[in-house]
Amino acid sequence: MLDLLLLLMVIIWGSNFSVIKYALREFPEITFNALRLLLSSAVFLLAIVILRYRAARGWRSADPPLTRPDWLRVVFLALVGTLLYQLFFLAGVARTSVANSALLFGCTPVAVAIMSSVAGHERLTKTRWLGAAMSLAGIYAVVGYRASVSAATLTGDALVFAGMLCWSLYSVVAQPLLTRHSPLVITGLSMIVG
């Protein structure tokens, strides 16, 4: 079952660039994103309420309450991982090709690894650096031959790259919270606040 869910995630993430590119032909960026985020926030809010209800009934263990520093981190995640990421990503996808967007966003694991190393969460060994290089080569082999760098796509490429950096920062900054709190709660709250 887990393998099927992982495959579904890959399909959803892989098609995300094309779906967004197509949707942006019909909707302005801000309107499209506002609708997506309002719907997502409502779903997350409902899921959080259900989790809290189940915890109150003793059907599952409850997350500890968020402290003031936790809330400050959630607000930071909301600004970087929801607001800025979404603005950069959608504006970038609208101004560049799907191939360029996918290639740039494929660098996320490498950016997360470097940021995690800088934050002291993990150490980058030679083997991990080799893995990062192989990952980038693999990304280029899959989508890079369709990517093109031109003056027409440079702004979009830069915006997608900025979005990728925001998402990577979100992933690293969220790590300490995720050791104490449910990923659903942290993701949901950061999306609702964002």
Side-chain angles (χ1 to χ4, degrees):
M1 181 64 170
L2 181 59
D3 290 340
L4 290 175
L5 290 173
L6 288 172
L7 178 61
L8 178 63
M9 183 196 71
V10 168
I11 291 168
I12 290 170
W13 272 89
S15 62
N16 188 38
F17 298 98
S18 297
V19 169
I20 288 174
K21 188 77 169 176
Y22 180 77
L24 291 178
R25 292 180 191 163
E26 304 296 324
F27 293 98
E29 297 156 27
I30 300 296
T31 304
F32 173 71
N33 215 31
L35 292 172
R36 276 182 357 133
L37 293 178
L38 282 172
L39 178 62
S40 299
S41 294
V43 170
F44 270 114
L45 185 58
L46 178 63
I48 290 169
V49 168
I50 290 170
L51 278 180
R52 297 253 162 106
Y53 176 80
R54 292 180 69 197
R57 296 277 186 243
W59 298 339
R60 73 176 294 277
S61 60
D63 276 8
L66 272 74
T67 63
R68 180 174 167 74
D70 290 344
W71 274 108
L72 291 174
R73 191 173 288 251
V74 166
V75 168
F76 179 81
L77 291 173
L79 292 174
V80 171
T82 301
L83 180 66
L84 291 177
Y85 159 68
Q86 292 290 336
L87 289 174
F88 288 143
F89 180 71
L90 282 176
V93 170
R95 291 164 179 79
T96 192
S97 69
V98 170
N100 286 17
S101 299
L103 184 63
L104 288 164
F105 226 81
C107 298
T108 302
V110 176
V112 168
I114 292 168
M115 288 180 188
S116 287
S117 177
V118 170
H121 296 168
E122 62 183 77
R123 196 171 140 254
L124 287 181
T125 62
K126 289 180 185 178
T127 305
R128 289 187 179 177
W129 279 110
L130 178 62
M134 289 174 59
S135 171
L136 293 175
I139 292 164
Y140 182 77
V142 173
V143 295
Y145 68 94
R146 295 226 188 244
S148 63
V149 177
S150 69
T153 65
L154 199 54
T155 300
D157 294 343
L159 289 166
V160 170
F161 187 76
M164 182 274 298
L165 291 176
C166 286
W167 184 253
S168 299
L169 183 60
Y170 172 91
S171 300
V172 172
V173 172
Q175 283 178 335
L177 283 175
L178 297 175
T179 62
R180 298 184 315 274
H181 301 285
S182 160
L184 186 138
V185 170
I186 297 303
T187 303
L189 290 175
S190 66
M191 183 168 290
I192 292 165
V193 172

